[in-house]
Amino acid sequence: MYDWLNRLPKAELHMHLEGSLEPELLFALAQRNGITLPWPDIDSLRAAYDYRDLQEFLDLYYQGAQVLQTEQDFYDLTWAYLQKCAEQNVVHTEPFFDPQTHTDRGVPFEVVINGIGQALADGRRQLGVQSGLILSFLRHLPEEAAMRTFEQALPYRDAFIAVGLDSSEKGFPPRLFERVFARARAEGFPAVAHAGEEGPPEYIWEALDLLKVSRIDHGVRASEDPRLIQHLIDTQMPLTVCPLSNTRLKVFEHMSDHNILELLEQGVMVTVNSDDPSYFGGYVTENFLALHEHAGMTREQAQRLADNSMQARLLK
Ligand code: HPA
Ligand code: ZN
């Protein structure tokens, strides 16, 4: 089954480049940049990959991202991910990056976007992986900071295709970012937002009504609101669901409790994605495989999920 799932042509629409930093590369970059890490070795870092919730994961993710300093570092990170895409027949990807995670510790925006952008260009040419980058704002920081980041990004407008919203969800509703999303829309950028991962269905409504998003990232808590589910079906609004992430962050206790297949059968436009593959135990194929092994996903369902991912691309 792994090989069959691996061969399916797929698009990945929800992954954070910083979340594909494998422990081996993290240690190699720390050494290259003369950074002392709080973990003595790779195994003890891996042992820390055990989270009670989103925030515990994010603390580790932001700490790990500190080894990324030079253009070459961002290139190497992105290139490693694109090679995985090629291995897993992910023919199209729309990854996130979090500029504020880097600019707030003094890494110039230009360094980040050039390193990532060069790798994406090489991925298209050398690996045949199509891609469009999504600039994501950190919601635990004020909207003014997101606005400054967007203005900083505008000179590089050809390097990204959309804006997004991520980081700590609870207590940071989408409505706080209405102005920066309006500004991005006025500049011609479509939007996506994380909503309904740990936050309530109201956050999904806000992302739709106020941020005017083209996709919802996660969105699994929509199932608590029947009117919202009907709306998602009627509008065929894509949800970028991340099964391994949801179980590792305890959004669902077990993979067998996950609601993605129920949403699929109801007619919701759901897709399968890896979120932070290095931190959650797998890339796209591993996410499909987990659904097959623990939630009973059939080949026919896998095919529909893969077809949905191609259909829900922002960049066609
Ligand atoms: N949720 C919110 N923010 C994030 C995530 C996530 O799963 N991964 C990286 N930033
Ligand atoms: Zn995410």
Side-chain angles (χ1 to χ4, degrees), residues 147-210:
M147 195 66 95
R148 280 197 299 276
T149 299
F150 184 70
E151 300 303 336
Q152 203 173 22
L154 270 181
Y156 305 90
R157 58 180 309 142
D158 293 340
F160 62 98
I161 61 159
V163 296
L165 186 67
D166 65 8
S167 193
S168 321
E169 188 180 8
K170 283 190 279 189
F172 302 99
R175 64 173 177 274
L176 298 175
F177 295 88
E178 198 175 345
R179 280 163 303 174
V180 70
F181 274 67
R183 171 91 182 92
R185 206 164 50 249
E187 289 290 344
F189 290 98
V192 299
H194 283 54
E197 176 186 20
E198 285 190 341
E202 293 74 54
Y203 285 21
I204 302 175
W205 282 116
E206 286 182 17
L208 295 169
D209 295 342
L210 304 179

Side-chain angles (χ1 to χ4, degrees), residues 106-178:
V107 178
F109 184 88
E110 183 188 3
V111 163
V112 181
I113 196 100
N114 286 347
I116 294 173
Q118 189 59 53
L120 293 176
D122 288 352
R124 283 177 212 116
R125 268 197 306 272
Q126 296 174 31
L127 304 172
V129 178
Q130 299 308 311
S131 55
L133 187 61
I134 302 177
L135 185 156
S136 202
F137 302 118
L138 298 182
R139 71 202 307 162
H140 68 273
L141 298 175
E143 187 184 39
E144 296 70 50
M147 195 66 95
R148 280 197 299 276
T149 299
F150 184 70
E151 300 303 336
Q152 203 173 22
L154 270 181
Y156 305 90
R157 58 180 309 142
D158 293 340
F160 62 98
I161 61 159
V163 296
L165 186 67
D166 65 8
S167 193
S168 321
E169 188 180 8
K170 283 190 279 189
F172 302 99
R175 64 173 177 274
L176 298 175
F177 295 88
E178 198 175 345

